[in-house]
Each structure stands twice: as C-alpha cells, then as structure tokens.
Amino acid sequence: MRIDLHCHSTASDGTDTPAELVRNAAAAGLDVVALTDHDTTRGYAEAIAAVPEGLTLVTGAELSCRIDGVSMHMLAYLFDPEEPELLAERELVRDDRVPRAHGMIAKLNELGVPVTWEQVARIAGDGSVGRPHVATALVELGVVPTVGDAFTADWLADGGRAFVEKHETDPFEAIRLIKGAGGVAVFAHPGAAKRGRTVPESAIAKMAAAGLDGIEVDHMDHEPETRARLRELAGELELLTTGSSDYHGSRKTCVLGEYTTDPEVYGEITRRATGASPVSGTGGGHSF
Ligand code: AMP
Ligand code: FE
Ligand code: FE
Ligand code: ZN
C-alpha cells in the first residue's frame, strides 16, 4: 500500500486540476491520495468524480495557522466540509488571501517590480491565491529563475521585503474546529526550519493534549535528524506520524509518493474520522 496524505491542486497552489491529481496519483502507483488544498475544499467534487479504479481519495485541507507569531499548517482529514463553524473559519482565511495578495503586489511595485493583480489572478485561476502564484508571476517577469527562489528575505519569505501576513487561525481553535467537524488533525511539516521559525516542542505537547492526532514526519523539508527527533516526540506524546509528498504539480520539485504513510496509521486516521469517508474509485465512472 502506497499512501500519500498531502497534495495540492489548482483549487489552491498546485498545478494539477483535482481530476488530474487523482489520475496522476493512480499513474504514480499510489493506492491512497489525500487532496489537501490550502484553506479550501473546492476541489472535492471534481476529484471525487474522477477517482480511478484502484485509488482511494481522502478528502482534506491544509489550514493556515499561527501561534505566537509563528505561521504553521494544520492538515485536516475527512471532516464534514459543510460543518458551519469550520467552513466559516476556512472562508475567512481563504478570503483574506485576496487583499493580502494585493498588499504583496503593492510592495513589489514599490520595489520596482511591475507585477499586476491581473497577472497574479490569471495564474491563480479560481484557486485560493497564495505566495506561490505571486512567485510564479516573478518567474514570468524574469525577477527570479524559479518559484523557490522567490521565497527569500528579498522577496516573499516570511518577513521578506514583499511579504504580507494573512489571517491565520490559532492552532488550538483549528484543532477544536476540525474535531467538531468529525475530522482528524495532523500538524504539517512541523520541523520545516528552512521556511522560517518553527513551533517549539512545548507547544506541540499542548496541542497533543488539546486533541492533535498526529504530526507529519517524513517530508521533503525535514532533515534526517529532524525526522528522527519528531518520531521520538510523537512516541512521547502518543501522536500518529505521517509521511507525504506535499505535491504541488510543477510548482515544486517533489513528486507524488515521494514520502508515504504507514498503512496502520492510515487505518487509524480513517477509524478516528467521523465527518467523511474515503472515496474509492469504482472504475465505471459514477455509481448510482
Ligand atoms: P501562503 O499560504 O500564500 O503564505 O504560501 C505558502 C505556500 O508557499 C506553501 O504552502 C508552499 O506551497 C509555498 N512555499 C513555502 N515556502 C516555499 C519554498 N521555500 N519554496 C517553494 N514554495 C514554498
Ligand atoms: Fe502550498
Ligand atoms: Fe504546508
Ligand atoms: Zn502543503
């Protein structure tokens, strides 16, 4: 069983449409793939309709959070997408991305970069707009060679010259909302130090006490020593550990299934979830 529990589509900052994502996941030999777009579930319908035979889709989202000034991401799996409290918070975060993108464009204009809202909006399409879309615009304009090169202090990294904060949820509130919607909460890439400051272990311990289900351990942004320590911490705090690609299509270098999750952990996630069930492809298109 090959299980990849963290992937993005054009519903946020990935480059595969939701249908392409599930087809590519099957083609990559995955048995289970999770759709975890930033702060939105709008890719669900298309992904569910396109799940190929032999693949199981786990619906989810990656919620933007902040604790003590440190941004972090919380993966939410198999929650009820219509549960009103979590839905309202998701929309608040997603909608605030628009004025925030305008703010980053204004800063870039002040820095002499002729990026426009029209350009960024074209790149984002109907996905929840984020820094990777602005970064793609910078690549188009020849300001930086790759999307990754835009995530520096000169441009869009946390605290960078053109960075603007967005509304982000308190992680304890996120855990409460996810559990309230029948979902499972997993702290995404908690040791991704290259992205900026990370959340201290003492805060992870408090989150575990507040109902956090797991932490993502095997991830491209974690050094081997970081993974080893996170696995140890998960043992101490009785947290599940996952592994995943954080696939973004061509907007990041990682490939589907680059890291995977243990089938037993996946089974436990599905047992804990009460808000939604995984969707298995039937092969015959829709089954009525
Ligand atoms: P935002 O949610 O708009 O603040 O943008 C955060 C997103 O930017 C993350 O989810 C990643 O997709 C992307 N990102 C963050 N750091 C990097 C990096 N160093 N290289 C490429 N993409 C990054
Ligand atoms: Fe992203
Ligand atoms: Fe993330
Ligand atoms: Zn992600």
Side-chain angles (χ1 to χ4, degrees), residues 6 8 36 38 62 73 189 246 248:
H6 183 169
H8 297 266
T36 54
H38 297 287
E62 186 177 19
H73 293 165
H189 44 75
D246 205 352
H248 280 68

Side-chain angles (χ1 to χ4, degrees), residues 93-116:
V93 178
R94 192 200 57 204
D95 292 350
D96 195 50
R97 288 171 165 277
V98 174
R100 182 255 199 158
H102 280 282
M104 292 193 288
I105 290 164
K107 284 192 168 184
L108 287 164
N109 292 162
E110 278 169 33
L111 292 166
V113 178
V115 60
T116 63

Side-chain angles (χ1 to χ4, degrees), residues 172-187:
F172 295 95
E173 175 68 356
I175 291 166
R176 188 185 72 75
L177 292 171
I178 292 164
K179 311 296 275 193
V184 175
V186 174
F187 188 164

Side-chain angles (χ1 to χ4, degrees), residues 201-264:
E201 289 186 3
S202 57
I204 300 179
K206 285 186 191 148
M207 289 179 213
L212 180 71
D213 291 285
I215 54 177
E216 193 177 52
V217 171
D218 292 311
H219 185 280
M220 66 179 302
D221 291 347
H222 289 163
E223 301 298 331
E225 316 82 76
T226 305
R227 289 177 210 174
R229 176 54 202 151
L230 286 171
R231 230 181 281 286
E232 210 170 64
L233 181 69
E236 291 163 19
L237 299 173
E238 295 185 46
L239 291 167
L240 303 173
T241 60
T242 65
S244 37
S245 65
D246 205 352
Y247 176 72
H248 280 68
S250 61
R251 212 165 261 132
K252 270 193 182 179
T253 53
C254 49
V255 297
L256 280 163
E258 189 165 322
Y259 297 102
T260 54
T261 293
D262 187 296
E264 285 187 19

Side-chain angles (χ1 to χ4, degrees), residues 4-236:
D4 187 342
L5 290 182
H6 183 169
C7 298
H8 297 266
S9 77
T10 50
S12 65
D13 56 8
T15 58
D16 288 3
T17 64
E20 286 166 348
L21 173 66
V22 290
R23 281 189 225 119
N24 288 338
L30 290 177
D31 300 285
V32 179
V33 71
L35 176 66
T36 54
D37 277 306
H38 297 287
D39 310 308
T40 187
T41 60
R42 73 177 297 162
Y44 282 18
E46 185 185 319
I48 289 169
V51 186
E53 188 171 11
L55 182 76
T56 296
L57 171 70
V58 170
T59 50
E62 186 177 19
L63 307 177
S64 304
C65 296
R66 185 160 60 225
I67 177 168
D68 297 331
V70 180
S71 289
M72 56 166 281
H73 293 165
M74 187 72 78
L75 289 160
Y77 296 114
L78 299 171
F79 57 87
D80 173 1
E82 285 168 20
E83 190 283 319
E85 257 200 293
L86 178 55
L87 174 63
E89 183 64 21
R90 231 168 30 241
E91 289 187 339
L92 193 67
V93 178
R94 192 200 57 204
D95 292 350
D96 195 50
R97 288 171 165 277
V98 174
R100 182 255 199 158
H102 280 282
M104 292 193 288
I105 290 164
K107 284 192 168 184
L108 287 164
N109 292 162
E110 278 169 33
L111 292 166
V113 178
V115 60
T116 63
W117 167 249
E118 287 65 34
Q119 185 187 6
V120 172
R122 168 179 56 75
I123 293 163
D126 50 16
S128 49
V129 62
R131 281 183 281 172
H133 302 120
V134 180
T136 300
L138 295 183
V139 174
E140 283 185 0
L141 291 166
V143 175
V144 289
T146 70
V147 166
D149 290 308
F151 284 85
T152 62
D154 276 347
W155 305 111
L156 299 172
D158 287 13
R161 293 189 303 170
F163 174 73
V164 176
E165 281 186 348
K166 61 183 180 298
H167 173 79
E168 294 178 316
T169 308
D170 173 85
F172 295 95
E173 175 68 356
I175 291 166
R176 188 185 72 75
L177 292 171
I178 292 164
K179 311 296 275 193
V184 175
V186 174
F187 188 164
H189 44 75
K194 71 167 201 183
R195 295 195 189 189
R197 279 202 292 147
T198 57
V199 173
E201 289 186 3
S202 57
I204 300 179
K206 285 186 191 148
M207 289 179 213
L212 180 71
D213 291 285
I215 54 177
E216 193 177 52
V217 171
D218 292 311
H219 185 280
M220 66 179 302
D221 291 347
H222 289 163
E223 301 298 331
E225 316 82 76
T226 305
R227 289 177 210 174
R229 176 54 202 151
L230 286 171
R231 230 181 281 286
E232 210 170 64
L233 181 69
E236 291 163 19

